[in-house]
Structures are given as structure tokens and as C-alpha cells.
């Protein structure tokens, strides 16, 4: 197992370097000179001299590789530069907004489990029943509904008409209910279907037949044999969706005016605050990769075949 | 033919096809169908309820919502198709080269794909659009940069698989040169799966375009894009929810239609797969969640 962990972490290093390189190069796509952008944002008159001075200050006159390594060196020390707008260190700003996003993500994750676990099990046990058909419809709507629209529908129905929840803001727990439902809708639908099909898969296994033949109570069969084995893909999905919720949060936070990282990111884009964009993109990719690693390790722990290298490699 | 038959046996696929057909017709014949000019501002007629000359009412600038929805189909479909075409073509080429040439080039392309797929897709597109600036062309670029890696990977694995098959070995032995070989033997085998994935992705691409526009980073007003229309209607949705409701409904129906057809297509191409747990598939759906 230790061997496997070390190998997976070593494999990660080139990917992380690649992420940093792409994040760095992303800024080079910019059609205008960053020096001019900084001057404009700070409302300094754009003159030749000012541009030259700013280029010197931002270190833009150095060759690209040197700029990259310099940037990387700072990033490794958790220094993503200063915001063009506020002049504050970017990472601190992002972390300032993180708690709201984290709260939203956690609520959503809990909600996904609360919906998907019972719904997936029932849909599998009563296959092709009315409930199963409904869960199928739920899955189709879940993957097709635009979350920004769903968010407004929920606000309209529950906040304006029924007056059950506050409309916008982030003060109390009640403020997070509608955003969490909005964000959970899609993943919960997918997760339900996933659990259903993996339950059906394990229901058809021989060990279930054997357990039934031994006369084990049906409830025991389902709980002990079927559900446990069916949970594995769900765990993976859940781990991955946690990272994905972060990108979903960008839109949902904007709908509900939640002061989280996603809303901050969109603001930064609109005000062309490039260091913030860079930091956010880099961190989200990093988070995504780490979650992937954890999911892989958990899988490796649960399934020795992967750990020993056979299955994983041949699958690709 | 069997594939077509299996496809048509799906009732839901029929519904999906019907919706896609309607939206496509609306997009192509927008000037003939739309009752009004979608850009015509008339403040005297603003925020009118549905009925009379305006079947779905008017927005805050007095523009006909129905006409804007119809023209919006044009924008959404054409940008989605353009982004998909560019992304898929890039992916196909990269995957084909990687799989066929192999060696260092293969390793380079695949590592690049690994890295690109390590970014959450929406955030990557968001950042690219943010840096390039809003607008239709930049959205196409951003979405295809974020998407090609996925197709490159699939294409490469297909190419590797086909390369090992006997008919390709036979073609090599009989002296076929490499490029015609790829076009004639490798591409047709790989393309079916790619088409299915692309059709599934068309729906989510529409979703992403409207999401970007909703955030104010995509298609800019006054262009009648559905996501941008929802953003426009935000301020008025307490009193006039219709301004937001109809464009959202259009996005939802269109994306749903593409997903239904995509699912049916996949089942038709590989009937055995419908019961299996399709982890990778779910992962890709999740990636696209907007």
C-alpha cells in the first residue's frame, strides 16, 4: 500500500507542474498588456513612461521562462501576487471568501446523500415501478436543468410566494437551503441513478443468490451484501462531485448573491484582476487533483487489484 | 441499420428528436417565424403580459420575448455546434497523431490532456473567456480548449485498439501508406463513439454557453441569447417572472432533448452498456454540470 501511495504521489508531480504552467500561460493569452491593465484599474494615466515603469515593476521585461520560474517559486511559497484592484495578497482574499463556499459545498454534499441514498435504493428494489420511473425523470431533469434558472424558480416559489426562506444573503442557515438544493439537484439525480444501477448489478451476483439460498433475511441480504458492495462507485462519485461542486458554486453563488469564492472570481474576471483569476484556477485544479488522488487511494485500499497495478493500467 | 432501428425504438429519443427538430427549424427560419424584430426597442410597450401581438409578452425594453427566444435558438445552436466541431476536430487530430505516431509525441500530447483534464471544465472556460474577453468567438475558443482533451484521449485509445486489429495489420503488410490507412481504416471505426459523445456534449455545451452568458461573460446584450436573457430578467423577476422563465425553459428543453437522443444513441450503439455502471460517463456528465 505504501508503495502505491508513493507511486501515485510521484505521478502527481508532473501534472501539478503542468497545471502551474498552463495557469501561467493563460495570462499570456490576454490580448492587452498587463501593465496597461494595472494602470487602467488603478486609474493612472496610461503614458509610455508609466507603462515602461509598470512593466519593470511587474517584471514583464524578463524572458518568459524566467517569469514562469519566478512565479512558480512564489506560488510554492503560497504567494500568488497581489490583486490589481485592492493591492492585497490574492490568496488571503480568496481564503477570506472560502468559508461561505465551503459551507455551501458541505450542505450540498449532505443533501446529495440524503436524497440519493434512499432514492437509489428504492429505485433499485422496485425496479421499473412508478418510483423508478420518477427517479429516471429526475435524472433527466437533473442533467439538463440550468442551475441559474432552477435557482430563480426556487426563489420565486419558496421565497416570494410561500415566504419560507429569505431571498438572498448569507447571514443565517436558512440562507443556504435554497442554494444547496439548487446545487445538489444535478449531482443528486446522477448519484441516484448510479446507486440504482450498481445495486442492480450487485443484486444479480451469485453471493446474493447464495445468501438467499441460505435463508438469510431479505433485509440482511440487502443491507449487508447488496448495499455495501453497491456503495463503492457511489463513494467515488461522491468524492469527485465534491470538487465539482466548487465550479457549480460559481454560478449558484451569483444567483443567490452569496459572498463566496465563486462570486469573487466572477467579479475579478469582470474587473480584469488577473492574479485573482490565476490563483482561483490554480487552486481549483489543485483541489480537483487532490480529491482525485484521495479517491484513488481509497479505491486502492478497498480493491487490491488496483493497488498492485494490474487493473488500473490496462483500463487506460 | 440495426442501430437506427434500435434508436427509433426509444420513445424518449423520439421526443428528443422532435424538440431538436423544432428548435433547429426555429433557428434556421427565425426571420420568417418570429412575429417581431428581436432588437426592436419600444419603451411604451415594456413589460407587457402575454397575449395579443406579443404571445409571450415583452421584456423591460419592450422587445418581443417570443421573437427573442426564436432568434436565441440561432445563437445557442450555432455557437454550440461551432465549439463542438472545433473541439472534436482538434481532439480527433491530436488523438489520431498520438495513437498512430506514438513515442515522445504521444507522451507529450497525453500529458497535456492529463493536465487539461485536471482543471474543472467550467472554471477553465470561465478563466479563458475572462482573459480573452466576452463574445461569441472567444466562447468557441474557450469551450474547445476545455473540451478537446477528452476526445483526444478517446480517439487515441480507439486508434491503439484498431492498430492492433488484423485488418489494419493486413493493410500495412499490403503496403498501404500511413495517412490513407488512418483515414480509411482507423477513422470510421472510431468515429461512431465520438459522434455519440459529441451529441451528448452538444446539450451540455449549450448549458455552458448560457451559463457563461448568464454571468455576463458570454454573449453580450442586446444579442438575444437565452442565458443572457435570464440575466436581463433578473431585476424584474419579482413582478415579471416570465422574462426569466421562458428562456430558461428553452435551455432546459433543448438540453434535455440532446441528452435524450444522446442516451438513446449510446444504447443503440452498444446495447449491452445500458445496464452497466458507466463511471466514466457519469464523471463526464458531472464535469459539465452547470
Amino acid at each position: 500500500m505504501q508503495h502505491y501511495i508513493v507511486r501515485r504521489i510521484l505521478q502527481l508531480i508532473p501534472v501539478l507542474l503542468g497545471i502551474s504552467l498552463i495557469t501561467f500561460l493563460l495570462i499570456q493569452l490576454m490580448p492587452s498588456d498587463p501593465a496597461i491593465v494595472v494602470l487602467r484599474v488603478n486609474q493612472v494615466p496610461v503614458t509610455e513612461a508609466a507603462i515602461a515603469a509598470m512593466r519593470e515593476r511587474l517584471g514583464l521585461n524578463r524572458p518568459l521562462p524566467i517569469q514562469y520560474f519566478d512565479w512558480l517559486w512564489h506560488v510554492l511559497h503560497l504567494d500568488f501576487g497581489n490583486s490589481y484592484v485592492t493591492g492585497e495578497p490574492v490568496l488571503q482574499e480568496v481564503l477570506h471568501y472560502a468559508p461561505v463556499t465551503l459551507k455551501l459545498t458541505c450542505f450540498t454534499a449532505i443533501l446529495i446523500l440524503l436524497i440519493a441514498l434512499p432514492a437509489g435504493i428504492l429505485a433499485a428494489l422496485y425496479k421499473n415501478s412508478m418510483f423508478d420511473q420518477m427517479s429516471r425523470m429526475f435524472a433527466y431533469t437533473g442533467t439538463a436543468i440550468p442551475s441559474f434558472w432552477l435557482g430563480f424558480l426556487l426563489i420565486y416559489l419558496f421565497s416570494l410566494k410561500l415566504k419560507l426562506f429569505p431571498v438572498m444573503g448569507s447571514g443565517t442557515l436558512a440562507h443556504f437551503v435554497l442554494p444547496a438544493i439548487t446545487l445538489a439537484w444535478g449531482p443528486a439525480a446522477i448519484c441516484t441513478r448510479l446507486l440504482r444501477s450498481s445495486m442492480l448489478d450487485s443484486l444479480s451476483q451469485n453471493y446474493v443468490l447464495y445468501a438467499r439460498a441460505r435463508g438469510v433475511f431479505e433485509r440482511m441480504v440487502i443491507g449487508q451484501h447488496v448495499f455495501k458492495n453497491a456503495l463503492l462507485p457511489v463513494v467515488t462519485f461522491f468524492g469527485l462531485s465534491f470538487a465539482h461542486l466548487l465550479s457549480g458554486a460559481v454560478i449558484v453563488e451569483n444567483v443567490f448573491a452569496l459572498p463566496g469564492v465563486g462570486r469573487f472570481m466572477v467579479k475579478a474576471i469582470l474587473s480584469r484582476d488577473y492574479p485573482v483569476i490565476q490563483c482561483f484556477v490554480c487552486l481549483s485544479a489543485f483541489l480537483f487533483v487532490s480529491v482525485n488522488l484521495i479517491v484513488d487511494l481509497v479505491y486502492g485500499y478497498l480493491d487490491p487489484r488496483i493497488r498492485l497495478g494490474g487493473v488500473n493500467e490496462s483500463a487506460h | 441499420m440495426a442501430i437506427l432501428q434500435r434508436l427509433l425504438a426509444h420513445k424518449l429519443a423520439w421526443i428528443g428528436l422532435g424538440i431538436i427538430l423544432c428548435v433547429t427549424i426555429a433557428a434556421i427560419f427565425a426571420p420568417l417565424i418570429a412575429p417581431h424584430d428581436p432588437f426592436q426597442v419600444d419603451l411604451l410597450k415594456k413589460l407587457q403580459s402575454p397575449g395579443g401581438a406579443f404571445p409571450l409578452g415583452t421584456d423591460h425594453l419592450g422587445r418581443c420575448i417570443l421573437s427573442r427566444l426564436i432568434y436565441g435558438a440561432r445563437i445557442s445552436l450555432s455557437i454550440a455546434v461551432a465549439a463542438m466541431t472545433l473541439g472534436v476536430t482538434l481532439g480527433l487530430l491530436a488523438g489520431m497523431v498520438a495513437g498512430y505516431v506514438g513515442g515522445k509525441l504521444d507522451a507529450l500530447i497525453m500529458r497535456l490532456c492529463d493536465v487539461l483534464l485536471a482543471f474543472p471544465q467550467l472554471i477553465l472556460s470561465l478563466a479563458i473567456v475572462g482573459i480573452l474577453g466576452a463574445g461569441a468567438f472567444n466562447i468557441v475558443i474557450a469551450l474547445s480548449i476545455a473540451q478537446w482533451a477528452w476526445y483526444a484521449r478517446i480517439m487515441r485509445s480507439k486508434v491503439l485498439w484498431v492498430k492492433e486489429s488484423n485488418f489494419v495489420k493486413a493493410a500495412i503488410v499490403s503496403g498501404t501508406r500511413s495517412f490513407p490507412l488512418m483515414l480509411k481504416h482507423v477513422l470510421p471505426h472510431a468515429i461512431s463513439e465520438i459522434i455519440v459523445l459529441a451529441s451528448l456534449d452538444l446539450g451540455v455545451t449549450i448549458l455552458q454557453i448560457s451559463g457563461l452568458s448568464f454571468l455576463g461573460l458570454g454573449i453580450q446584450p442586446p444579442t438575444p441569447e437565452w442565458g443572457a436573457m435570464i440575466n436581463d430578467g433578473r431585476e424584474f423577476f419579482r413582478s415579471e417572472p416570465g422574462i426569466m422563465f421562458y428562456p430558461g425553459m428553452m435551455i432546459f428543453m433543448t438540453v434535455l432533448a440532446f441528452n435524450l437522443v444522446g442516451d438513446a444513441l449510446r444504447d443503440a450503439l452498444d446495447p449491452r452498456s445500458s445496464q452497466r455502471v458507466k463511471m466514466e460517463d457519469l464523471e463526464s456528465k458531472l464535469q459539465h454540470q452547470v
Side-chain angles (χ1 to χ4, degrees):
Chain A
M1 189 68 200
Q2 270 169 1
H3 223 74
Y4 177 68
I5 295 177
V6 171
R7 204 181 56 193
R8 285 293 286 115
I9 290 178
L10 285 180
Q11 278 173 355
L12 213 60
I13 293 173
V15 175
L16 288 177
L17 278 176
I19 288 174
S20 74
L21 187 62
I22 288 194
T23 324
F24 174 77
L25 289 176
L26 218 53
I27 299 298
Q28 308 298 322
L29 281 175
M30 183 171 19
S32 48
D33 186 341
I36 299 181
V37 175
V38 179
L39 291 175
R40 288 233 173 88
V41 169
N42 293 312
Q43 293 174 330
V44 176
V46 181
T47 59
E48 288 288 328
I51 294 174
M54 186 52 83
R55 284 189 68 85
E56 193 58 48
R57 216 185 93 195
L58 295 174
L60 295 172
N61 291 328
R62 297 168 301 167
L64 210 54
I66 294 188
Q67 283 187 45
Y68 168 65
F69 285 115
D70 185 50
W71 178 79
L72 184 64
W73 183 249
H74 281 103
V75 166
L76 287 175
H77 293 84
L78 296 177
D79 173 15
F80 284 87
N82 294 342
S83 157
Y84 287 176
V85 179
T86 61
E88 299 286 314
V90 170
L91 190 67
Q92 269 181 32
E93 299 236 312
V94 170
L95 291 180
H96 172 74
Y97 291 98
V100 171
T101 307
L102 204 65
K103 234 189 206 170
L104 174 63
T105 326
C106 289
F107 282 147
T108 309
I110 295 170
L111 202 60
I112 293 174
L113 286 184
L114 283 180
I115 298 171
L117 289 184
I121 294 171
L122 288 178
L125 294 184
Y126 303 98
K127 192 184 160 195
N128 293 331
S129 67
M130 191 65 170
F131 184 81
D132 188 24
Q133 298 297 340
M134 267 164 62
S135 86
R136 182 170 293 143
M137 285 301 122
F138 176 48
Y140 277 125
T141 61
T143 46
I145 207 160
S147 64
F148 41 98
W149 186 58
L150 178 65
F152 282 113
L153 291 184
L154 292 175
I155 293 178
Y156 187 73
L157 187 65
F158 290 105
S159 299
L160 297 179
K161 292 286 155 195
L162 300 173
K163 302 209 185 322
L164 286 176
F165 297 104
V167 178
M168 274 160 193
S170 66
T172 64
L173 220 57
H175 283 105
F176 284 92
V177 175
L178 293 184
I181 294 177
T182 311
L183 198 51
W185 195 285
I190 300 173
C191 199
T192 304
R193 296 307 286 174
L194 178 64
L195 182 57
R196 174 192 177 267
S197 43
S198 83
M199 284 277 289
L200 288 178
D201 201 42
S202 83
L203 269 171
S204 67
Q205 297 292 325
N206 281 333
Y207 54 75
V208 173
L209 190 68
Y210 176 61
R212 281 183 177 152
R214 276 183 310 173
V216 177
F217 285 121
E218 187 66 15
R219 193 182 297 166
M220 281 279 284
V221 174
I222 302 294
Q224 290 290 315
H225 298 275
V226 178
F227 182 65
K228 257 191 187 164
N229 284 296
L231 217 51
L232 205 58
V234 178
V235 170
T236 318
F237 173 84
F238 194 69
L240 291 174
S241 69
F242 215 79
H244 282 297
L245 291 182
L246 189 74
S247 47
V250 173
I251 287 182
V252 172
E253 282 172 7
N254 273 284
V255 171
F256 289 91
L258 286 175
V261 180
R263 201 165 137 79
F264 180 54
M265 158 84 168
V266 173
K267 265 191 195 151
I269 289 179
L270 291 174
S271 59
R272 312 211 149 254
D273 200 345
Y274 296 112
V276 176
I277 304 176
Q278 232 171 7
C279 175
F280 184 72
V281 172
C282 205
L283 283 183
S284 63
F286 181 72
L287 193 73
F288 192 45
V289 171
S290 336
V291 173
N292 263 328
L293 174 72
I294 295 170
V295 168
D296 270 7
L297 292 183
V298 170
Y299 235 92
Y301 175 71
L302 294 172
D303 191 342
R305 284 174 301 176
I306 295 174
R307 177 164 77 224
L308 297 174
V311 177
N312 212 10
E313 253 83 273
S314 63
H316 284 287
Chain B
M1 260 352 257
I3 289 173
L4 200 65
Q5 268 173 7
R6 280 204 294 266
L7 180 64
L8 297 179
H10 270 263
K11 272 183 221 141
L12 287 173
W14 275 104
I15 300 175
L17 279 175
I19 297 174
I20 293 173
L21 199 67
C22 291
V23 175
T24 314
I25 289 174
I28 296 172
F29 299 106
L32 299 176
I33 302 170
H36 297 275
D37 177 357
F39 295 100
Q40 181 68 47
V41 173
D42 186 351
L43 290 174
L44 291 175
K45 291 181 184 153
K46 71 174 181 180
L47 300 174
Q48 283 191 0
S49 319
F54 302 102
L56 296 179
T58 57
D59 66 3
H60 58 294
L61 296 175
R63 295 171 297 195
C64 170
I65 292 181
L66 179 63
S67 307
R68 288 178 69 73
L69 288 182
I70 293 172
Y71 273 87
R74 251 184 188 191
I75 314 275
S76 295
L77 283 188
S78 53
I79 295 178
V81 169
M84 282 315 297
T85 314
L86 189 60
V88 171
T89 314
L90 276 176
L92 283 183
L93 286 176
M96 224 151 56
V97 169
Y100 198 82
V101 178
K104 276 185 184 153
L105 193 60
D106 177 27
L108 188 73
I109 295 176
M110 282 306 111
R111 290 300 81 75
L112 186 60
C113 289
D114 286 347
V115 171
L116 279 175
L117 291 172
F119 290 94
Q121 202 183 342
L122 182 74
I123 289 176
L124 186 61
S125 331
L126 206 69
I128 297 174
V129 173
I131 286 163
L132 289 175
F137 182 70
N138 290 342
I139 290 187
V140 171
I141 303 284
L143 291 178
S144 41
I145 291 180
Q147 249 166 5
W148 72 271
W150 195 260
Y151 293 100
R153 239 191 207 176
I154 299 165
M155 188 62 192
R156 174 178 174 272
S157 67
K158 283 266 153 187
V159 170
L160 288 182
W161 179 74
V162 175
K163 235 167 96 175
E164 286 305 306
S165 61
N166 284 333
F167 66 87
V168 168
K169 282 184 182 155
I172 294 173
V173 170
S174 57
T176 316
R177 274 174 304 127
S178 54
F179 189 67
L181 181 83
M182 289 222 276
L183 283 188
K184 229 174 145 183
H185 298 286
V186 180
L187 200 58
H189 270 264
I191 206 91
S192 64
E193 193 174 324
I194 307 268
I195 288 177
V196 175
L197 286 166
S199 73
L200 255 175
D201 271 2
L202 209 54
V204 284
T205 306
I206 293 176
L207 213 52
Q208 288 186 334
I209 295 167
S210 60
L212 289 173
S213 304
F214 167 76
L215 293 174
L217 302 170
I219 311 294
Q220 299 293 308
T223 312
E225 201 276 337
W226 295 332
M229 286 172 74
I230 294 184
N231 196 19
D232 270 352
R234 275 173 103 153
E235 290 171 44
F236 309 94
F237 96 105
R238 282 156 195 265
S239 51
E240 298 294 329
I243 301 182
M244 274 190 28
F245 181 75
Y246 299 119
M249 200 66 201
M250 290 300 290
I251 301 172
F252 175 53
M253 296 300 279
T254 313
V255 177
L256 183 66
F258 277 110
N259 287 356
L260 288 175
V261 175
D263 275 3
L265 253 176
R266 192 187 38 211
D267 283 357
L269 286 174
D270 183 8
R272 281 159 307 158
S273 76
S274 52
Q275 280 305 317
R276 247 186 287 143
V277 180
K278 288 160 284 190
M279 199 58 216
E280 219 168 65
D281 208 54
L282 288 161
E283 228 177 275
S284 89
K285 266 189 189 162
L286 197 68
Q287 266 278 12
H288 291 117
Q289 204 73 56
V290 172

